[in-house]
Amino acid sequence: MDPVGTSADIRRRFVEHFEAAGHTAVPSAPLLVDDPNLLFVNAGMVQFKPYFLGQETPPYTRAVSIQKCVRTPDIEDVGKTTRHGTFFEMCGNFSFGDYFKAGAIDLAWELVTKPIADGGFGLEESKLYPSVYEEDPEAVDLWRKATGLPDDRIIRLGKKENYWSMGVPGPGGPCSEILYDRGSAYGADGDFNAEDRYLEIWNLVFMQDELSAVRSKEDFDIAGSLPKQNIDTGMGLERVAFLLQDKQNMYEIDVMFPVIERAMEMTGRRYGADPGDDVRFRVVADHVRSSMMLIGDGVTPGNESRGYVLRRLLRRAVRSMRLLGYEDRALPELFPVSRDLMAQGYPQLQADWERIATVAYAEEDAFRQTLKTGTTIFDLAADEAKSAGVSVLSGDRAFALHDTYGFPIDLTLEMAAEKGLAVDEDGFRRLMAEQRDRAKADAKSKKGKHAETGAYREIADELGRAVEFTGYEEVVSEGAVRGLIGADGSVISSAGEGAEVELVLDRTPFYAEGGGQLADEGVIELGNGARLQVLDVQSPITGLIVHRVKVLGGEVGLGTPAQALVDIERRRSISRSHTATHMVHKAFREALGETATQAGSENAPGRFRFDFSATGAVPQTAMEDVEARVNDLVLADLAVQAELMSQADAVKSGAMALFGEKYGDVVRVVSVGDWARELCGGTHVERSGHLGVVKLLGESSIGSGVRRVEALVGSDAYRFLAREHVIVAQLSETLKARPEQLPERIDDLLERLRSAEKEIEKVRLSQLLSAAGDFAARAVDLAGVSFVGEIVEGAGGGEARTLALDVRGRMPADRPAAVLVIGVQDGKPSVVAAVNDAGRAAGVSANDLVRAAATLLGGKGGGKDDVAQGGGTDAAKVAEALEAVRGAISAR
């Protein structure tokens, strides 16, 4: 049985109490709810709404549940008060047309006041105050009857506090709260608005009215009575837990405070030492738990709706750890602690841990990079604003943080508030709108290294027509130099050997980068003997093809005849990749549905990447099906054809248009047989058989709702498969197994290796702990204190803590004793101090001992007077640190 007062014990007692009263135990619903008015389940009654609204007939008349909930409107207040948290557990009992006010009041009062030995919570009646709706005299009478309390202990409150509705027409009714008086230290006597003093632990909703014309929380019409009277109650598990556990707030209860303790170990700071740090510790504890529970129920970080809430929670937790001085990855240290605390109530956390951890840790990695650069920029901007005597961070600074460094605006607002600054949000929104307006124009902007559009326009005007692209039919063509742009971005007339310039021909076979296809490379040979290497090809303005070239020899001048020679092998390899992209796109739409639309691509020599819309990871079976489908059609050697037709005819033919690009009246449609048809300006192979083979390497997420597949084509794919074949053959030989047996054989080896590692770790820990008796026997007297100080090579922080506590337990309890263990693992020292009751009475503090040692070791530490822990970076000073602790005990 769970220890009395733990969260698990509270859950158990609540459910057992109501099961004994004929209630059906209903499991918690997932946090995600199919309700347009809610992001997440935010109350215990949400899963029962269809019953309360009369939309469905309940399969039971009485129910009890422990419902996980998330409320996010008060994220900024988390940690600043003792009441605000995002994730919480709501213990509720419900009656659907069965018992009403009397039954709800009797059942609640019985559980709250019943002695712990009888299965109740054992709260003192003298500290409990029922509250009622001021216009509900029936409830007053029922509370008197159930509790025997005098009239002045039953508090009358108005609609705002004690009338419940869903905020829309439908069921509603008066409610009663059970308030717990925490004493005068938390507020004035009789001030029932002082929530820290008169803490609401349970709300009993008496659903009896049919509401209409709901205008606000306190302004509505009562159309009449409900056909059936219902009961909806909610008891806050966290609030009852911190009362029963004698804690100050919800953050210090058994399922939350260990996360704070781990954060203290990681940061070397103490909870309770600094109000600002306390807020950060609480944010960490709350947001880690909330994020874990949300991911467990299927939420993934994103930029909208639920995903944005999760992203915000994760990033606030990470940033709080950084403000506490911890710069390394924090979530891999904190999430497992919260998992172990919550798994007793929610075992699916363990079963689905790999996915949960992967999602959370990937988000932290992304945000750490954002913070690395963005925080520095923000601090500079904030300091400049303060130096200038202004109290508002400009909209353009906030926009730059968002646009350049990936800072979400809410993070900028929070950081500004911490520095006493406001943010020009209107200016930020205006710049965001301007950015969206110019997005398409920016996508088509030049890629030239220095040149302004004016130089390109000057050359285009001089040319008088579009550059003729001949690359669909040939890879070598004759032309003449019609324009040159120098390194400074100005139009020039000539360039000599070694210069890098941009060059325009009147006609060219070189493909300019576009539509995901990389630019051609090659050479241009001039009639005067000069030779140019083509490094890049772009189309900075419509109708102009610009070659970035390096003059290898001779001189280039305007009007010089030129022969352009494309690198044929590169062109062929890129063309194979481009055709393969079309085929893979079509195959994914067949496998995953029409929503799997291309969202980007890059066609490079021998390889390509293909981005497409998807709600989640692509199953391995789908990847295999796509690869098989494409290679079957490669073997079918389908003809690849390009046709010019009107846009209307192209649409009628089933051709796809991508990226929302604007097309002219005449478009180019590329078809792979009668199978795949797309509008495309790129170059392709003549037949699908020219691809040879297509090998999909894998898929991954590159953003919210977008997946990326990477693949090899042709000889690159063949070489990859050949290497894999050699590796498989070598493994088969080494493991004496057929290729198809390798996965099972390798899994078996890995399992045996893990088992061996566990056994080795057990033996090592056993050997370590076996030394505890010897350590205790070597205790020395330091000014009346039995002291054991040991340096243990190979021991990490956890092992040092276990050893220190074991040694302390072996020392006489009636004599002051202190233990200090310094473990050194991989060159990093960890310090743990443990002091018995007699030692603390003699003035020895484990916290002080750890600080004395950790300071010398270049680190920090802290904890309580009985046990404290810390660490450092300088293992060379462990002996000096031990002597410092000896001196501190002797000199106390």
Side-chain angles (χ1 to χ4, degrees), residues 774-814:
D774 294 336
F775 290 168
R778 295 205 296 264
V780 296
D781 184 274
L782 296 178
V785 176
S786 293
F787 175 68
V788 173
E790 297 290 343
I791 299 169
V792 182
E793 291 290 338
E799 295 159 339
R801 185 184 183 93
T802 301
L803 186 57
L805 293 175
D806 195 2
V807 173
R808 184 184 68 176
R810 295 171 184 264
M811 301 180 74
D814 58 350

Side-chain angles (χ1 to χ4, degrees), residues 434-469:
E434 291 175 1
Q435 183 192 56
R436 286 191 293 270
D437 291 342
R438 63 173 179 265
K440 290 185 179 180
D442 289 343
K444 291 182 174 292
S445 66
K446 67 184 186 306
K447 192 182 174 182
K449 187 174 182 181
H450 298 289
E452 295 294 335
T453 304
Y456 299 127
R457 180 59 59 193
E458 181 180 340
I459 293 174
D461 292 344
E462 182 69 25
L463 187 62
R465 61 176 177 82
V467 173
E468 181 185 356
F469 176 62

Side-chain angles (χ1 to χ4, degrees), residues 195-227:
E195 295 185 51
D196 279 338
R197 172 160 185 177
Y198 296 99
L199 184 74
E200 174 199 338
I201 61 173
W202 206 334
N203 189 15
L204 316 177
V205 176
F206 309 133
M207 217 174 287
Q208 64 186 41
D209 300 326
E210 179 74 34
L211 305 186
S212 63
V214 177
R215 294 170 289 275
S216 72
K217 168 75 174 175
E218 302 172 60
D219 184 12
F220 48 79
D221 297 335
I222 297 179
S225 299
L226 291 173

Side-chain angles (χ1 to χ4, degrees), residues 81 234 332 407 462 750 813:
T81 74
F407 258 43
E462 182 69 25
L750 290 174

Side-chain angles (χ1 to χ4, degrees), residues 53-92:
L53 293 171
Q55 298 167 343
E56 297 180 20
T57 301
Y60 29 68
T61 58
R62 300 183 177 194
V64 57
S65 72
I66 311 294
Q67 175 64 51
K68 49 189 174 181
C69 304
V70 168
R71 291 180 186 169
T72 58
D74 300 321
I75 286 179
E76 291 83 1
D77 292 322
V78 169
K80 297 177 182 177
T81 74
T82 60
R83 301 183 309 278
H84 290 97
T86 52
F87 176 87
F88 59 96
E89 296 178 82
M90 188 62 78
C91 307

Side-chain angles (χ1 to χ4, degrees), residues 345-428:
Y346 305 96
Q348 65 271 25
L349 293 172
Q350 291 279 13
D352 202 20
W353 182 245
E354 184 175 354
R355 180 188 64 82
I356 294 171
T358 299
V359 170
Y361 302 165
E363 181 65 19
E364 177 177 20
D365 290 341
F367 186 51
R368 277 167 54 80
Q369 186 59 41
T370 293
L371 279 175
K372 184 177 180 181
T373 52
T375 300
T376 301
I377 303 302
F378 171 83
D379 288 340
L380 289 173
D383 291 343
E384 288 177 10
K386 287 189 172 183
S387 298
V390 297
S391 60
V392 178
L393 192 69
S394 66
D396 60 342
R397 287 302 188 109
F399 177 76
L401 281 165
H402 167 83
D403 191 48
T404 307
Y405 302 103
F407 258 43
I409 184 62
D410 64 272
L411 179 58
T412 301
L413 291 169
E414 282 188 30
M415 293 175 66
E418 290 171 0
K419 289 184 175 286
L421 295 171
V423 177
D424 178 11
E425 291 188 68
D426 291 340
F428 170 81

Side-chain angles (χ1 to χ4, degrees), residues 668-682:
R668 186 168 183 263
V669 177
V670 174
S671 304
V672 181
D674 293 327
W675 184 56
R677 295 172 67 82
E678 289 187 20
L679 275 63
C680 181

